[in-house]
Amino acid sequence: MKFNLIKKNMATHLQASELILNPDGSIYHLNLLPEDIASKIILVGDPERVSKVSRYFDKIEIRKNKREFYTHTGHLRGERITVMSSGIGTENIDIVLNELDALANIDLAKREIKSVHTSLELFRLGTCGSVNPEIMVDELLVTENVVGLDGLMNFYPEYHFENEFSAKFLDGFPYPKIKPMLYFSTCAPESANYFKDARYFGNTATFPGFYAPQGRQLRLNSLDDQFLETLNNLGVSNFEMETSAIYALSALLGHKAATVNSVIANRRRGEFSANHHATEKKMIEWVLERLIP
C-alpha cells in the first residue's frame, strides 16, 4: 500500500492531520496552550518528580496533565518557570520537543508558523548509570556530548552533527548492525554554563531500552558482555534514555538544552545508590539555585 503524504510549505497552512489540537485549542499530547509555559523549562522523566520540583516554587499558576505529561508553571524568586514530565524514552521526547516548539513558534489558531522565532531554554533533570568506574554514585553529572543509539534523528533529514567526540566514537564502534542508527549532539554552552561548578562533565550514551540496550540480561542475552566497557573506552561516561533527542531536536529547532543527571548506579563496579531519593532532592535544589539564583 502506498501513501501520498501531504508535503507542507513552511509558509502555508498546517493541516489538521499534521498539527493536531484538542477541542479547547491546546496542543494534542501535552494538553497545553502557549500561555501555559515559561521560556525556561525543566524536563523530568517521572510524573511524580514534577511536584518534587514545583514544591520549591513561590507560586504555581498552571497545573495540567494528559497521559504521562504533567506540567506545572509558576514563579520562583520573581521568574516564571515550567516543569514538565516527559515519560521514558526518545520517542516521548520527539513528542515533547515538537509540541513545545509548536507552542512557542506556531500560531495555533491560524495554523501558521510565526515569522519571529522564540528560543526556549530546556533543562533535563534525570537519573543515569555510569560506565566509568571513577565516577561516584550519588554525584551529579552534566552531559557535554551525547550519542544516540535509538535512531530517532535519522527520520529528520535536515539534521547533521559531527565533532571530535563523534569522529572518535564512529571510528572505534565495533557493532555494524547498530552503527547506522547512531547520531550525535552537544549541549548549548550557555545552558551548561549555569552548571559550570559541577563535579562531573561527561559524554552520555542514550539507549532505546532498559534491558539489553543497557547490557542487562535476565532471560534474554544482551549484545555482548563487554558492551558498556566498549562504550567507556570510546569516551562515554554515563548512559540514560532521553538526552540525545533533547539535544538534537533542540539544536534543529533553535532551542538551548542541557542535561543534569544524578548518578544512581555505577555498572562497572556493580553499585547502586543506597538513597537515590536524597540524591534526587540534592539535584533539584542544586539546579534551581543555579537556574534562578
Side-chain angles (χ1 to χ4, degrees):
M1 183 179 292
K2 183 178 180 180
F3 292 92
N4 294 316
L5 298 180
I6 298 173
K7 300 294 183 181
K8 70 177 189 331
N9 182 304
M10 297 301 281
T12 63
H13 186 79
L14 294 169
Q15 300 294 324
S17 61
E18 312 307 299
L19 176 63
I20 305 172
L21 303 177
N22 296 311
D24 65 353
S26 62
I27 198 74
Y28 183 61
H29 295 93
L30 301 185
N31 195 35
L32 297 174
L33 297 164
E35 59 266 27
D36 293 336
I37 62 169
S39 60
K40 189 174 285 183
I41 300 172
I42 293 173
L43 299 174
V44 298
D46 185 354
E48 291 187 2
R49 195 176 296 152
V50 171
S51 60
K52 292 179 181 179
V53 174
S54 67
R55 67 183 292 269
Y56 291 95
F57 293 0
D58 300 319
K59 177 184 178 182
I60 301 172
E61 61 184 58
I62 299 291
R63 287 184 175 90
K64 290 188 176 182
N65 69 279
K66 184 180 179 181
R67 302 186 186 186
E68 62 265 58
F69 307 112
Y70 283 68
T71 302
H72 290 179
T73 295
H75 290 82
L76 176 61
R77 293 186 278 274
E79 186 171 340
R80 199 163 185 253
I81 187 169
T82 293
V83 57
M84 173 187 299
S85 60
S86 66
I88 296 175
T90 57
E91 66 276 21
N92 273 16
I93 297 301
D94 184 61
I95 292 170
V96 170
L97 262 291
N98 277 287
E99 294 196 1
L100 283 176
D101 179 74
L103 292 171
N105 290 302
I106 296 176
D107 185 319
L108 300 186
K110 295 180 179 179
R111 295 182 174 275
E112 294 177 355
I113 295 170
K114 296 177 181 178
S115 58
V116 177
H117 179 267
T118 297
S119 181
L120 301 172
E121 291 186 282
L122 305 171
F123 303 93
R124 164 166 155 75
L125 274 63
T127 59
C128 72
S130 173
V131 298
N132 184 336
E134 297 179 1
I135 293 177
M136 299 294 105
V137 168
D138 294 322
E139 291 289 347
L140 305 181
L141 186 148
V142 179
T143 297
E144 183 175 4
N145 297 299
V146 62
V147 53
L149 290 88
D150 56 283
L152 174 66
M153 296 308 294
N154 292 296
F155 290 90
Y156 291 91
E158 301 94 339
Y159 185 75
H160 178 74
F161 176 87
E162 59 183 18
N163 65 359
E164 184 178 346
F165 170 71
S166 69
K168 178 183 176 183
F169 193 95
L170 284 170
D171 184 61
F173 191 72
Y175 305 101
K177 288 186 177 180
I178 301 175
K179 197 169 186 176
M181 297 189 294
L182 303 181
Y183 63 93
F184 300 84
S185 194
T186 192
C187 63
E190 54 268 56
S191 299
N193 194 52
Y194 283 103
F195 315 117
K196 58 187 176 183
D197 60 331
R199 180 174 180 182
Y200 297 119
F201 279 78
N203 301 320
T204 297
T206 294
F207 292 141
F210 185 78
Y211 287 94
Q214 297 186 18
R216 291 185 176 89
Q217 302 183 100
L218 301 183
R219 292 206 315 120
L220 297 173
N221 292 328
S222 62
L223 198 59
D224 68 38
D225 292 337
Q226 300 301 311
F227 184 50
L228 297 182
E229 184 174 0
T230 298
L231 293 181
N232 189 206
N233 292 338
L234 292 173
V236 169
S237 56
N238 67 306
F239 60 89
E240 43 84 274
M241 296 178 65
E242 287 83 29
T243 294
S244 60
I246 293 173
Y247 280 16
L249 286 170
S250 292
L252 197 57
L253 291 166
H255 305 301
K256 303 178 180 68
T259 286
V260 179
N261 274 319
S262 58
V263 182
I264 63 170
N266 188 300
R267 293 287 297 283
R268 297 284 297 282
R269 291 205 307 263
E271 297 176 357
F272 191 84
S273 172
N275 189 352
H276 63 89
H277 294 297
T279 304
E280 175 190 61
K281 183 175 184 292
K282 177 179 74 172
M283 173 180 65
I284 292 168
E285 293 175 350
W286 187 85
V287 167
L288 289 177
E289 287 170 0
R290 283 152 183 76
L291 289 184
I292 305 178

